[in-house]
Amino acid sequence: MTDSRRSLRHSSRFGIAAVAAAAALLAGGLSQSALAAAESYTPVAAPASDGGEPKGVTAFSTGWQTPWGISFLPGRDSALVTERLSTQVYRLDSDGTREWVGEVPGTVPEPYEEGAGGLLGVAPSPTWDGDKDKQVFFVHTTATETRVARMDYDGTSLSNYTPILTGIRRGGDHNGGRIAFGPDGYLYVATGDGLQPKLAQDKNSINGKILRITKTGAPAPGNPFGNHIYSYGHRNPQGLAWDRKGRLWSVEIGNQTHDELNLIKPGANYGWPTCEGSCDTKGMTGPKTTFTPETGVPAQLAVVRNVIYVSSLRGQRLWRIPIDGDSERVGTKTAFYSGDYGRLRAIAKVPGADELWLGTSDLGYGKDKVLRVPIK
């Protein structure tokens, strides 16, 4: 089953009335505890949390078409936002003002037989200032491949398109696409298996991996295999975020039974296609928690005060998953906004604030929104 079928892109549920999260959890006669147990791979008692809960959500920016990535500019209260299908890039300010800054050349989203794709992740250089450092990085699909590209952004417009990593196979919805700079200053790139599951286990392929690279596209120093690869055995990872200990977490879209939340370690093998969800195979690493397709298809994640927040496509909800102190365990998942806003994808923590920006997805031309989600 492809991700495009599982995600129900044309689902009529886009227009359903809002329902309370508790009611959604109880749908189908399941108790909250039964549903939590069914979805969690390594459930533990909910720890005393460092973080609050999302409250007081507002739609502060409207008129979007399928926003895919949100990434804040260093030292600014504004972010760059990509639109997957239009291939356009905008700057979104905290007051809701939106300014067009350009597009990424050569981006080809469709047709679907060529593999759904488009303009995906965006990541400004950690030292971007629009003057001495203008570099911004993107992941996008061309007619034949997925690639990482660098452009200059001077605070007004984009220019000087330069591919830095090419040859990533595109295919179906298995394009990965999330990109982010880590605390170490290197660029991490999530790639899908390109509809060829065996590539996820092939350490000579950059598909089905989380890559760690320099700003020139070269393998980052200290990578576990001496090439671009940081971790492997991934089907379609689309989220990257670091916790307060500097550890990397990722969410991954599974095939038919389980989506995953993984704690990423250098050189680790996350099992695909041998494992989907729980993995007891020697040499392979299992997820910290899982989601069922009906309530999952996790898109991206962000960390606020040691709590992971996961946006959900088919599940149409925001998951809250507390990290158990500084351990590698996570607590019980809680769902918010179940069905209230439709499919949710792009998510980012606002620098210096306990707040998320959260984008809806696939609601129709000009109908998507960016939501402000305070954590209280």
Side-chain angles (χ1 to χ4, degrees), residues 8-16 316 342-343 361-363:
L8 300 179
R9 180 174 285 107
H10 302 296
S11 170
S12 61
R13 288 189 295 169
F14 289 163
I16 64 173
Q316 300 187 12
R343 292 156 59 82
S361 186
D362 308 295
L363 293 181

Side-chain angles (χ1 to χ4, degrees), residues 25-302:
L25 288 170
L26 296 172
L30 288 175
S31 67
Q32 286 185 334
S33 59
L35 183 57
E39 291 192 332
S40 183
Y41 168 50
T42 53
V44 298
S49 175
D50 296 288
E53 295 184 349
K55 295 180 180 179
V57 60
T58 57
F60 79 104
S61 181
T62 60
W64 294 88
Q65 181 191 8
T66 318
W68 202 99
I70 299 174
S71 189
F72 279 87
L73 293 162
R76 305 288 182 93
D77 59 353
S78 58
L80 294 180
V81 181
T82 58
E83 289 189 333
R84 183 177 77 84
L85 294 174
S86 75
T87 75
Q88 306 301 301
V89 184
Y90 296 87
R91 188 189 74 243
L92 177 61
D93 298 335
S94 59
D95 63 0
T97 302
R98 177 176 60 178
E99 296 287 344
W100 179 79
V101 301
E103 61 183 323
V104 177
T107 302
V108 179
E110 314 293 2
Y112 281 103
E113 59 266 25
E114 298 282 344
L119 179 54
L120 306 175
V122 54
S125 165
T127 54
W128 179 93
D129 60 7
D131 182 15
K132 294 180 180 179
D133 184 354
K134 301 178 183 180
Q135 294 182 337
V136 176
F137 298 80
F138 298 93
V139 176
H140 71 112
T141 57
T142 70
T144 59
E145 66 180 7
T146 302
R147 60 174 58 164
V148 182
R150 183 180 67 236
M151 297 187 73
D152 288 339
Y153 175 57
D154 61 4
T156 301
S157 61
L158 291 169
S159 62
N160 299 330
Y161 171 85
T162 305
I164 65 166
L165 183 63
T166 61
I168 307 168
R169 178 182 172 84
R170 69 171 291 177
D173 284 346
H174 299 216
N175 296 307
R178 188 71 171 93
I179 187 171
F181 279 93
D184 57 6
Y186 292 110
L187 189 60
Y188 290 72
V189 183
T191 70
D193 67 11
L195 289 179
Q196 291 195 11
K198 65 181 181 181
L199 294 181
Q201 291 295 318
D202 182 355
K203 291 195 287 291
N204 293 313
S205 169
I206 51 179
N207 277 90
K209 311 297 191 297
I210 292 175
L211 311 176
R212 179 174 172 265
I213 64 176
T214 69
K215 292 181 179 181
T216 66
N223 280 358
F225 308 111
N227 56 15
H228 295 85
I229 298 169
Y230 189 73
S231 64
Y232 68 110
H234 299 287
R235 181 177 182 269
N236 194 17
Q238 293 200 355
L240 301 171
W242 286 262
D243 65 16
R244 68 185 182 189
K245 293 274 291 182
R247 299 174 302 186
L248 175 60
W249 295 81
S250 177
V251 284
E252 181 168 339
I253 299 175
N255 185 22
Q256 296 189 26
T257 57
H258 292 97
D259 305 308
E260 301 176 357
L261 170 68
N262 289 304
L263 177 59
I264 304 300
K265 296 184 178 183
N269 178 356
Y270 290 85
W272 176 254
T274 301
C275 299
E276 180 185 355
S278 176
C279 190
D280 296 324
T281 302
K282 185 177 179 180
M284 295 183 177
T285 301
K288 296 303 179 182
T289 194
T290 62
F291 310 82
T292 63
E294 292 73 23
T295 61
V297 189
Q300 297 177 20
L301 74 163

Side-chain angles (χ1 to χ4, degrees), residues 331-349:
T332 303
K333 300 189 296 296
T334 307
F336 292 84
Y337 317 128
S338 300
D340 289 6
Y341 301 102
R343 292 156 59 82
L344 302 172
R345 184 193 294 277
I347 189 171
K349 181 190 179 297

